[in-house]
Amino acid sequence: MTTTRLYQKHTRRLNLSLIALVLFTIVSCNKAFDNKLDLSEKGQEQQGNRVPKVLYIIIDGARGSAINTIQAPTLTEISENAMQTFSGVSDANGLASTSWADMLTGVNKTKHKVTQTDFTGNNLANYPMFFKHIKQNNANLRTAAFSATLAFSQNLVSNADVNQNFNNDDVAVKTALVAELKNEEASVVLAEFNGVERAGQQYGYAASIPQYSTAVLTVDAYIGEAMNALRQRQNYEKENWLVVVASNRGGSLNVPPGQNDGTLFSNPLLNSFAIFYNPRFSYQYYAKPNTTELPYEGKAVPLANDSTANIPADKAAKYNFGTTGDFTVEFKIKVLRRSTGSSNAPILFKTSSPANSTTGWWVIHSGINGGWRFGGIPASYMVSNQPALEVGEWYTLGFKIYTENNKRWVMIYQDGVKAYANPVDITTRANQNNNEELVAGYRSGFGNTTKQLVTEIKIFNVAIPDNVILAYACKGAMSPKHPYFNNLIGYWPATDGSSGFFKDQSPFKNDFILRNKYEWAAFSDYSPKFCVDLPEDIYTRIPNGIDIPNVIYGWMNIKSLNMGLDGKTWIPIYNDVKP
């Protein structure tokens, strides 16, 4: 099944389901509703009159993109009513043992400590598989596990009423699984198949390899038998089954350079899939996040004549640059509205007035033509050879003060490139220290109509080399990996998103104070000149194996808030709002 086709096919149905869900919620706001799978504080209430149960199937070595291509009949059928992704990422170490532990405990390897193929040094006693918490919640629930891999059964499965291993025999696993599902006492059932993994190891993990695709279709048929047994249960209509089918990882495969984005998403060994099925679920597809055209995003405060950011003078003294020493100042700016009145609209400054006769330093718009200027330390430093700062575009501006050949110089930069032909000699420039505030934004009397976002304000106590300035100008938020991170004497991302401050992330903690009227506004902008680092949560924006225990706990009405889980909760959308 192709992602695009399925997405288009189900968009209208999903929207109708959302409308139905909203209407139902309005007329029954005092009634517990099983679409609220929120595990942050407590388990959900009993789901109507139906008894919650779980069937969890793990297919070893089933590469997500291959599963998406092969279109196995049973998986295709249940995907119609499922939350799903074929772009999951298993643990970066690529070990089956680690990914299995993630999928059964809901915590990562720093906690369960399964980092060896033989499970030595593990911490599963403190972070056991999910059967334990199910039994603690209700000792009468029957838990059963059937596996094809001995190490899986011996090292990971615990608190099971039934734990059987069939030594690389998927057929035997299927037979035992079907028999268990015919048992009316069955409540939480786990099955692990490894035939796909064995085929991949021998022949390769590509969907185009007949032996591999046949292995996928074979286990899909086993799942079909299990689903038939499930639906034929005597009390099936009184039960509420969550069916999870997922792979522990993918398999090694050569990736064409054009398809490799340099992230873990491009590693076939880590490419897993997950399907969460219930006949009442609507279709939900989680695609791989965009990793090649990342936007610069966050929340910022538009600075204008009714909003400024100020650091009081008594804390701003370290941003005087005196007559000695090296410094670098950088920031990002997005002009929202140009000045239509007076020139010299301020951007960032430490002076009483952005005029050539005052002491201090300032970066200002040089008039309504959109240019900009740096002044103060050099008496007047025009950027006459630079294009205007266009409204709605992001720029990285800055200047560097440095010492060379017993002289002191200043150079300014736009998007990491020198914005002037030659540096200015400021060796004999008068001391520009003052007792003024450091201000981002407006100064009364100058550029009264200007409106702009000013973010990523950085001040270093060192002259950063030109090649480093250029390499990092395209970045979004600053990373501690920046080679001069420890030279910061002030760093204000200014994308905090709340409170009345631009928080200083440097050791000095000199926050900008937002004054007058201000409002945080979300932004998300992409430009080809950006080279934004991957967000820290990029791999958790789609379901992964580590999330499965968390979803199971919610389904089984088990509180998970204090379990220390690392997985996320994924909330289904229902096409049937009846209890």
Side-chain angles (χ1 to χ4, degrees), residues 179-219:
E180 176 67 18
L181 293 174
K182 292 178 180 179
N183 183 343
E184 289 303 311
E185 298 300 317
S187 293
V188 181
V189 186
L190 171 67
E192 176 253 350
F193 295 97
N194 67 14
V196 174
E197 177 73 87
R198 286 184 281 117
Q201 289 177 351
Q202 185 173 359
Y203 302 104
Y205 293 85
S208 59
I209 296 174
Q211 294 89 340
Y212 185 74
S213 60
T214 296
V216 169
L217 293 171
T218 298
V219 75

Side-chain angles (χ1 to χ4, degrees), residues 145-444:
F146 309 99
S147 58
T149 306
L150 183 60
F152 180 95
S153 176
Q154 288 184 335
N155 295 284
L156 288 166
V157 178
S158 61
N159 298 95
D161 294 306
V162 178
N163 180 15
Q164 295 181 344
N165 174 262
F166 296 96
N167 193 25
N168 296 327
D169 188 344
D170 278 6
V171 175
V173 172
K174 179 264 298 184
T175 300
L177 172 61
V178 170
E180 176 67 18
L181 293 174
K182 292 178 180 179
N183 183 343
E184 289 303 311
E185 298 300 317
S187 293
V188 181
V189 186
L190 171 67
E192 176 253 350
F193 295 97
N194 67 14
V196 174
E197 177 73 87
R198 286 184 281 117
Q201 289 177 351
Q202 185 173 359
Y203 302 104
Y205 293 85
S208 59
I209 296 174
Q211 294 89 340
Y212 185 74
S213 60
T214 296
V216 169
L217 293 171
T218 298
V219 75
D220 181 79
Y222 299 159
I223 297 171
E225 290 187 48
M227 294 301 299
N228 287 335
L230 194 70
R231 292 161 180 155
Q232 291 169 9
R233 289 172 60 82
Q234 181 178 349
N235 293 310
Y236 179 70
E237 294 302 323
K238 297 179 181 179
E239 298 171 336
N240 199 24
W241 282 88
L242 171 69
V243 179
V244 182
V245 184
S247 59
N248 65 333
R249 61 176 184 176
S252 298
L253 192 72
N254 291 327
V255 179
Q259 298 177 20
N260 190 343
D261 63 5
T263 72
L264 298 182
F265 289 114
S266 294
N267 187 340
L269 178 61
L270 309 182
N271 177 209
S272 60
F273 81 94
I275 297 174
F276 300 85
Y277 163 82
N278 180 276
R280 299 170 61 221
F281 288 176
S282 290
Y283 175 90
Q284 288 176 266
Y285 182 81
Y286 294 89
K288 170 197 162 189
N290 190 335
T291 57
T292 57
E293 297 180 349
L294 294 173
Y296 176 45
E297 57 188 1
K299 286 186 176 181
V301 173
L303 301 175
N305 61 351
D306 56 356
S307 57
T308 61
N310 306 61
I311 294 179
D314 60 336
K315 294 184 177 181
K318 63 171 47 62
Y319 313 121
N320 285 320
F321 300 140
T323 57
T324 61
D326 294 351
F327 301 91
T328 305
V329 177
E330 296 176 324
F331 60 89
K332 292 189 181 300
I333 180 172
K334 178 182 179 180
V335 180
L336 303 177
R337 182 179 64 226
R338 287 179 181 166
S339 173
T340 57
S342 61
S343 61
N344 291 3
I347 302 172
L348 181 69
F349 61 95
K350 190 179 187 303
T351 182
S352 60
S353 172
N356 294 336
S357 60
T358 57
T359 59
W361 59 266
W362 52 89
V363 182
I364 58 178
H365 299 279
S366 59
I368 61 175
N369 64 349
W372 64 282
R373 175 160 58 105
F374 172 57
I377 294 175
S380 180
Y381 193 8
M382 292 296 295
V383 190
S384 57
N385 61 339
Q386 288 298 302
L389 302 180
E390 298 294 335
V391 172
E393 296 291 330
W394 281 99
Y395 298 88
T396 300
L397 307 184
F399 63 91
K400 176 173 70 174
I401 298 170
Y402 63 100
T403 305
E404 188 176 89
N405 298 325
N406 296 319
K407 288 189 175 184
R408 204 172 188 223
W409 308 84
V410 64
M411 172 57 73
I412 63 176
Y413 300 82
Q414 179 170 319
D415 292 329
V417 179
K418 291 181 179 180
Y420 209 65
N422 298 299
V424 171
D425 184 351
I426 59 171
T427 306
T428 59
R429 180 68 176 153
N431 192 330
Q432 295 294 294
N433 289 352
N434 57 45
N435 294 319
E436 299 296 329
E437 297 178 313
L438 178 64
V439 182
Y442 169 77
R443 170 68 79 186
S444 177

Side-chain angles (χ1 to χ4, degrees), residues 495-516:
T495 53
D496 309 65
S498 63
S499 80
F501 304 93
F502 290 165
K503 291 289 186 178
D504 182 5
Q505 303 297 325
S506 82
F508 297 96
K509 306 302 179 186
N510 289 332
D511 299 340
F512 275 97
I513 301 171
L514 293 170
R515 292 186 178 172
N516 304 318

